[in-house]
Amino acid sequence: MKVVVLGAGIIGISTAWYLLEQGHEVTVVDRQPDAALETSFANGAQISVSFCEPWANAGAPFKVAKWLLRDDSPLLFRPSLDPKQWIWGLSFLTQCTNAAFERNVEQLVQLGRYSHESLKALVSQTGIEYERLERGILHFFSSQADFEAGAAGAEIMRRHGVDRRVLGRDEVLKIEPALVAFGRNIHGGTFTPSDESGDAKVFTQKLAQLCQQRGATFLYEHDILQLSRSGQQVDAVQIADVRSGKKRELRADAFVAAMGSFTPALVKPLGEFLNIYPAKGYSATLKLKKPEQASVVSLLDDTRKIAISRLGDSIRIAGTAELCGFDSDLSRPTSRTRCEALVKRYEELFPGVADLSEANYWTGLRPSTPTNIPYIGRSKKAANLWLNAGHGTLGWTHGAGSGHALAELMAGRRPPMEFNFYGSGL
């Protein structure tokens, strides 16, 4: 088939790769000048198959209420008059039960395992290098109560076949000795040895280059305006050159919408409703002054809900979420507070290790669903339109598998996992 993939983040590029593997003619469209320059650009760098819990759980509403007035809180909800925000928020509350949590965890674990296997096979096949570290993910706790809650969470994940080990303080420090300066504040941790980390932007851009070498056409710096439907099919997508404003139509046999938080607006005129809302995430990337004293194992700091990952001679600190619409501004007071909190926390954990004078701050709109489960499958409104969006904070974790799974669905095959694909009929 001739397929147009809309979006050149980790999800879109992974989808393009697997479609090329099946012999399709692929065109990728994105408004940026290269792949992975929006939400995939500077995320937490973790492939966190075993740390995939959905945000919605029985305790979440109380935590959100407690954090409501704190600019540096892990999850900040800024109420607005946007009906999409309220629809999303109310749906989120329906998922804050133990039964829903267990159901959603099972889905995320299934997709995560499939995706990790897909990623490992893809890396073996291509030899892509992207600062990959297969050292696991270590989650540490700064209070006894949080540690006990983390141990209970580990037990839930073990019921779903996840190898998450509960550790005492000394075991935490043995796995990551660089935490020694903060050691007296650590009450314990959990560790998932099969998880890993790496630079999502580097990986995605290198995979895009390989796609191009295999014959894919890339139309960078083109806005995606609208889909045109004829009967039960999408027959074209209208795009516009960012520089000249010149519009044109692309026709194809099939279309894939992989535009992250912007996917719902694209498909809404067709009558398709996707409950995806942007969660503004932040990161800081710092050069290391003392690389030998920096952490190597990818970390999760439970107190601040942040991820810390080593990327060569740099460190990436990422996390927090702000539900404030499509605002991607880093200059607002709240944004500055949240960015500075990341760097301040790193200095508390690893004093004097990083160069704080040139912090590279970033923000991205993570396309979040109330369940944290993405939409992967065929549109309910157009038979040749396929959806791959809504991955939230797990786009890097689920990227390869989501692309692989969608290509399989488009070929009429059901991927070998227990996952509720959207509208696919398989």
Side-chain angles (χ1 to χ4, degrees), residues 125-260:
Q125 177 186 354
T126 62
I128 292 176
E129 295 182 357
Y130 52 99
E131 302 290 359
R132 183 186 193 187
L133 288 173
E134 298 178 88
R135 300 288 293 269
I137 294 178
L138 178 63
H139 189 178
F140 63 91
F141 302 88
S142 302
S143 77
Q144 186 61 30
D146 287 341
F147 173 51
E148 290 172 2
E155 178 58 36
I156 292 174
M157 297 305 289
R158 282 198 294 270
R159 291 206 300 268
H160 293 280
V162 171
D163 181 15
R164 188 182 295 185
R165 304 169 187 179
V166 178
L167 311 174
R169 177 195 289 117
D170 291 344
E171 293 170 298
V172 169
L173 297 178
K174 184 177 180 181
I175 289 173
E176 185 44 86
L179 282 167
V180 65
F182 191 73
R184 58 188 175 82
N185 300 299
I186 294 174
H187 287 254
T190 64
F191 180 58
T192 54
S194 62
D195 286 336
E196 55 180 272
S197 60
D199 194 319
K201 182 198 77 171
V202 171
F203 174 87
T204 305
Q205 290 185 346
K206 288 186 176 181
L207 187 61
Q209 291 165 10
L210 291 177
C211 287
Q212 197 162 19
Q213 291 172 18
R214 297 186 67 168
T217 299
F218 281 81
L219 297 177
Y220 289 125
E221 296 185 289
H222 279 78
D223 285 323
I224 299 160
L225 302 180
Q226 64 181 17
L227 299 168
S228 301
R229 182 170 61 183
S230 177
Q232 295 303 307
Q233 301 271 334
V234 169
D235 56 10
V237 59
Q238 187 181 78
I239 65 173
D241 188 294
V242 169
R243 296 184 181 183
S244 68
K246 184 178 178 181
K247 297 178 182 179
R248 61 171 164 140
E249 285 191 335
L250 295 179
R251 296 184 176 273
D253 301 307
F255 298 82
V256 176
M259 295 164 57

Side-chain angles (χ1 to χ4, degrees), residues 48-347:
S48 51
V49 176
S50 304
F51 278 109
C52 62
E53 289 95 326
W55 292 349
N57 58 64
F62 306 101
K63 289 181 179 178
V64 173
K66 181 178 69 174
W67 293 332
L68 199 57
L69 299 178
R70 276 182 47 197
D71 278 354
D72 63 346
S73 64
L75 179 59
L76 181 59
F77 178 67
R78 292 289 195 200
S80 72
L81 297 178
D82 182 2
K84 299 186 192 70
Q85 186 191 64
W86 287 97
I87 290 169
W88 190 95
L90 291 171
S91 183
F92 178 85
L93 289 175
T94 68
Q95 300 299 315
C96 293
T97 66
N98 291 332
F101 180 82
E102 292 260 2
R103 183 174 64 245
N104 296 335
V105 162
E106 178 62 30
Q107 291 281 291
L108 294 169
V109 169
Q110 288 284 328
L111 180 58
R113 285 188 182 133
Y114 178 79
S115 190
H116 204 186
E117 291 304 313
S118 297
L119 176 68
K120 288 187 283 189
L122 196 162
V123 172
S124 177
Q125 177 186 354
T126 62
I128 292 176
E129 295 182 357
Y130 52 99
E131 302 290 359
R132 183 186 193 187
L133 288 173
E134 298 178 88
R135 300 288 293 269
I137 294 178
L138 178 63
H139 189 178
F140 63 91
F141 302 88
S142 302
S143 77
Q144 186 61 30
D146 287 341
F147 173 51
E148 290 172 2
E155 178 58 36
I156 292 174
M157 297 305 289
R158 282 198 294 270
R159 291 206 300 268
H160 293 280
V162 171
D163 181 15
R164 188 182 295 185
R165 304 169 187 179
V166 178
L167 311 174
R169 177 195 289 117
D170 291 344
E171 293 170 298
V172 169
L173 297 178
K174 184 177 180 181
I175 289 173
E176 185 44 86
L179 282 167
V180 65
F182 191 73
R184 58 188 175 82
N185 300 299
I186 294 174
H187 287 254
T190 64
F191 180 58
T192 54
S194 62
D195 286 336
E196 55 180 272
S197 60
D199 194 319
K201 182 198 77 171
V202 171
F203 174 87
T204 305
Q205 290 185 346
K206 288 186 176 181
L207 187 61
Q209 291 165 10
L210 291 177
C211 287
Q212 197 162 19
Q213 291 172 18
R214 297 186 67 168
T217 299
F218 281 81
L219 297 177
Y220 289 125
E221 296 185 289
H222 279 78
D223 285 323
I224 299 160
L225 302 180
Q226 64 181 17
L227 299 168
S228 301
R229 182 170 61 183
S230 177
Q232 295 303 307
Q233 301 271 334
V234 169
D235 56 10
V237 59
Q238 187 181 78
I239 65 173
D241 188 294
V242 169
R243 296 184 181 183
S244 68
K246 184 178 178 181
K247 297 178 182 179
R248 61 171 164 140
E249 285 191 335
L250 295 179
R251 296 184 176 273
D253 301 307
F255 298 82
V256 176
M259 295 164 57
S261 298
F262 299 91
T263 307
L266 180 72
V267 302
K268 183 181 177 182
L270 304 179
E272 192 94 53
F273 172 71
L274 303 181
N275 198 1
I276 296 172
Y277 196 78
K280 186 179 183 181
Y282 296 84
S283 76
T285 306
L286 309 174
K287 288 291 184 184
L288 293 170
K289 292 193 297 187
K290 302 175 182 177
E292 70 284 355
Q293 295 181 27
S295 55
V296 177
V297 176
S298 193
L299 304 172
L300 284 170
D301 175 0
D302 189 78
T303 300
R304 300 299 172 86
K305 303 294 188 288
I306 59 174
I308 300 170
S309 295
R310 181 74 172 267
L311 297 172
D313 287 335
S314 296
I315 202 80
R316 171 78 48 77
I317 312 109
T320 78
E322 187 180 351
L323 299 175
C324 58
F326 286 84
D327 170 29
S328 57
D329 192 344
L330 275 174
S331 65
R332 301 183 191 282
T334 297
S335 299
R336 289 198 299 271
T337 296
R338 295 173 82 75
C339 286
E340 289 163 5
L342 295 174
V343 174
K344 180 181 177 182
R345 181 57 168 177
Y346 186 78
E347 183 65 11

